[in-house]
Amino acid sequence: GQQLNQSPQSMFIQEGEDVSMNCTSSSIFNTWLWYKQDPGEGPVLLIALYKAGELTSNGRLTAQFGITRKDSFLNISASIPSDVGIYFCAGQPNLNNAGNMLTFGGGTRLMVKP
Amino acid sequence: NAGVTQTPKFQVLKTGQSMTLQCAQDMNHNSMYWYRQDPGMGLRLIYYSASEGTTDKGEVPNGYNVSRLNKREFSLRLESAAPSQTSVYFCASSEVLGGGGYTFGSGTRLTVV
């Protein structure tokens, strides 16, 4: 089946630093999504991307849909303690085929030192 | 608040016991899913229901059964719990199968001893 490789697996950064993480696939996706999971909670959708090359922001978060359709990137600027959590990428192969479900990456665990 | 509600939040079972995890959504979504989350493994799909009256196996269905009771409710049953089923279980729903962003519940943390 399709695989999403997400990196890094974990990051321990200082408050105020910028963060970058990415997700790559061996096959093409037509939708990319980024989720955040707070400790003890379920994942919550942060950003959805629907077009190759698209760059979308949500506050301090910016995500990009790679031109090749095989990767996506998430950046967090000026990190704060509440950014702590696990970030998941997810891809959907074909927007028009309802039979193709989301594939999730393994997650990036972010820890922020005040 | 609208969303996906899971019960219970925590459960400890002895090996061989059975239990049902409950999930309900109030967003009129057609599709529902059960995932398990293990350290370093991300989210793995157990079963899903494209619409009321249908259910299908996901990536890791062995040891589980599901019931789509109605459009709102999708339950996950462990008939004979094993330690390998110790995990955090998440229910999710979406408007159509695979479509757009899923809405997740807050999870059930299950320990099998």
Side-chain angles (χ1 to χ4, degrees):
Chain A
Q2 288 133 347
Q3 298 271 341
L4 284 185
N5 297 309
Q6 193 170 344
S7 65
Q9 284 191 318
S10 63
M11 305 178 74
F12 191 34
I13 62 166
Q14 192 76 38
E15 183 178 359
E17 287 183 353
D18 296 342
V19 173
S20 290
M21 60 190 78
N22 68 80
C23 210
T24 60
S25 170
S26 57
S27 53
I28 287 173
F29 286 93
N30 284 314
T31 301
W32 284 95
L33 305 169
W34 285 91
Y35 286 82
K36 183 196 177 197
Q37 183 182 22
D38 288 326
E41 297 294 328
V44 173
L45 182 65
L46 296 173
I47 294 178
L49 302 157
Y50 299 106
K51 208 161 86 168
E54 182 180 354
L55 190 71
T56 298
S57 293
N58 178 3
R60 293 177 296 105
L61 276 61
T62 302
Q64 184 161 25
F65 191 142
I67 288 290
T68 65
R69 296 177 181 264
K70 292 183 179 181
D71 54 14
S72 181
F73 308 88
L74 177 70
N75 295 313
I76 305 172
S77 62
S79 59
I80 59 178
S82 62
D83 290 334
V84 162
I86 303 176
Y87 292 80
F88 289 102
C89 63
Q92 185 185 28
N94 188 337
L95 185 61
N96 295 320
N97 183 346
N100 287 312
M101 289 181 293
L102 292 184
T103 298
F104 285 88
T108 294
R109 183 180 295 273
L110 179 64
M111 293 158 280
V112 179
K113 191 161 78 169
Chain B
N1 290 336
V4 178
T5 303
Q6 289 183 237
T7 55
K9 284 192 77 69
F10 301 94
Q11 183 72 50
V12 178
L13 289 179
K14 293 183 179 174
T15 297
Q17 284 186 318
S18 62
M19 80 160 294
T20 300
L21 281 64
Q22 307 286 354
C23 175
Q25 52 91 9
D26 58 7
M27 296 169 287
N28 203 37
H29 283 171
N30 289 296
S31 302
M32 299 184 73
Y33 316 82
W34 277 104
Y35 286 88
R36 60 178 288 173
Q37 183 179 29
D38 301 297
M41 300 288 289
L43 293 162
R44 292 187 292 170
L45 183 65
I46 306 171
Y47 269 93
Y48 66 96
S49 170
S51 59
E52 186 179 353
T54 70
T55 61
D56 283 288
K57 295 179 180 179
E59 183 186 351
V60 288
N62 291 345
Y64 305 95
N65 283 301
V66 289
S67 295
R68 183 72 183 268
L69 304 168
N70 47 57
K71 192 171 186 180
R72 289 188 64 243
E73 298 172 287
F74 187 39
S75 62
L76 178 72
R77 182 158 179 85
L78 286 71
E79 289 292 349
S80 178
S84 61
Q85 294 178 305
T86 293
S87 188
V88 182
Y89 291 85
F90 288 101
C91 177
S93 69
S94 64
E95 195 168 341
V96 295
L97 186 66
Y102 294 1
T103 301
F104 284 85
S106 58
T108 296
R109 186 174 294 275
L110 175 67
T111 302
V112 183
V113 298

